[in-house]
Amino acid sequence: MNKKYKGVVVPMVTPVDDRGNIDTAAVGRIVDLFASNGVAPLLMGTTGEGNSVSQADGVLLVTAAVNAAKGRILIYAGLTGNCFAEQLRQAEAYDRAGADVIVATLPSYYALTPDQMCHYYLSLADNIQRPLMLYNILATTHMSIPVEVVRQLADHPNIVGLKDSERDMERMRQCIDFAKQRDDFSYFCGWAAQSACSLLLGGDGIVPSTGNVVPDMFQQLYLAAIKGEEDTAQRLQEETNAIAAIYQKDRTLGQSLAALKVMMQVRQLCQPWMLMPLTRLPEAEEQLVAEKTRNIPF
């Protein structure tokens, strides 16, 4: 099937200055790098500190990304929060700013039943103009969208796919098997270490945070996998896993994102400032991350 939503979608960092303002010039550099390698950005996802970005800054971020993309790639905009009315206003603002797809996590303050999850996503899909992608991420919402709920939601004409970051191999197989039967619903693997595996099983796309640093390698991995070139795809998986370890190993999620921005600073893409409540790494740790990054053959 030649699906509309497929390929590499990088959960883009949100570049800011030392006062927490969106660095629109850096947004332009990053998006241009992505577009030149044929990969799309997911703005304000987990890697993009989405819960810490105000609606006004979110609109500025989407606008800057759309302007830099110049129609070469799709722009996916992340939707987070616990107030449904505010989420609708957010989605409308991102629509006007030019986002192509809205990607929404579950509201995460209350534990939700499967029926409540369904009701939330169906209500969202009914009330926004852009296509909606489900975003399942147990690590931050502390809830897992059941596979049966995903199947039910896929019947809604405005729900176009699932971005799944849950580290569960059997779940991944079930979701891919389901998505392969439909031409109107795509499966994106957000478990970067299993990017090659998910594509070789028949997944439609991948969402790797390490793609911020090496988007070209993930595009090569994607192309190799969809051609059935398993050895090449697995080699690239191992190489990107090693790069990921530079910023992820022995760090919390928030610390790893700070280290990722240090790596991007080495590539002259953005500065390593973070949005509250996250903070930069200690200077000595930043220097160590930068030193390891300089050994990557960009």
Side-chain angles (χ1 to χ4, degrees), residues 33-288:
L33 175 66
F34 287 1
S36 66
N37 284 284
V39 310
L42 165 58
L43 308 176
M44 295 168 288
T46 304
T47 304
E49 303 168 80
N51 279 284
S52 301
V53 179
S54 69
Q55 180 176 312
D57 281 347
V59 173
L60 181 62
L61 180 58
V62 172
T63 301
V66 169
N67 289 341
K70 297 184 175 71
R72 293 174 289 173
I73 50 177
L74 296 177
I75 302 296
Y76 295 75
L79 193 66
T80 60
N82 293 313
C83 175
F84 187 70
E86 289 183 357
Q87 287 184 307
L88 292 184
R89 287 193 288 270
Q90 221 176 333
E92 183 180 356
Y94 296 161
D95 176 14
R96 291 196 304 267
D100 296 291
V101 182
I102 300 297
V103 185
T105 60
L106 286 170
S108 57
Y109 187 83
Y110 299 105
L112 303 178
T113 67
D115 284 347
Q116 289 170 329
M117 294 178 189
C118 264
H119 181 65
Y120 165 71
Y121 277 121
L122 291 174
S123 299
L124 193 58
D126 283 342
N127 286 283
I128 66 174
Q129 299 302 309
R130 295 292 180 173
L132 174 65
M133 185 169 288
L134 316 174
Y135 182 175
N136 182 60
I137 179 163
L138 175 63
T140 59
T141 66
H142 309 293
M143 289 179 284
S144 173
I145 305 171
V147 176
E148 184 52 40
V149 169
V150 174
R151 291 193 180 102
Q152 293 176 47
L153 293 170
D155 288 332
H156 192 290
N158 201 35
I159 295 178
V160 298
L162 167 70
K163 187 255 184 179
D164 200 342
S165 297
E166 191 162 340
R167 299 188 174 198
D168 182 327
M169 189 64 70
E170 179 55 31
R171 174 191 172 88
M172 183 173 77
R173 289 193 180 96
Q174 289 179 23
C175 289
I176 290 173
D177 287 346
F178 164 72
K180 283 195 297 188
Q181 300 170 29
R182 306 186 59 131
D183 60 6
D184 60 349
F185 190 85
S186 298
Y187 174 85
F188 281 79
C189 179
W191 183 6
Q194 297 297 333
S195 294
C197 176
S198 70
L199 292 167
L200 291 165
L201 286 172
D204 301 294
I206 53 176
V207 191
S209 59
T210 311
N212 280 281
V213 182
V214 285
D216 55 324
M217 293 181 71
F218 282 99
Q219 179 69 343
Q220 292 168 26
L221 186 158
Y222 169 75
L223 293 173
I226 63 173
K227 293 175 184 174
E229 298 171 359
E230 184 172 352
D231 289 347
T232 299
Q234 294 293 0
R235 173 182 60 79
L236 287 162
Q237 182 71 75
E238 292 173 7
E239 292 174 0
T240 54
N241 286 351
I243 294 170
I246 296 174
Y247 69 95
Q248 293 176 345
K249 185 174 172 54
D250 299 325
R251 293 189 176 94
T252 65
L253 176 56
Q255 290 171 328
S256 75
L257 300 182
L260 177 58
K261 284 189 178 179
V262 173
M263 296 181 75
M264 296 185 72
Q265 183 183 36
V266 172
R267 292 214 64 178
Q268 300 182 323
L269 293 168
C270 71
Q271 295 297 310
W273 298 104
M274 305 298 291
L275 290 167
M276 287 286 289
L278 299 182
T279 58
R280 290 179 59 166
L281 299 176
E283 183 177 354
E285 193 172 348
E286 284 191 355
Q287 291 176 353
L288 182 60

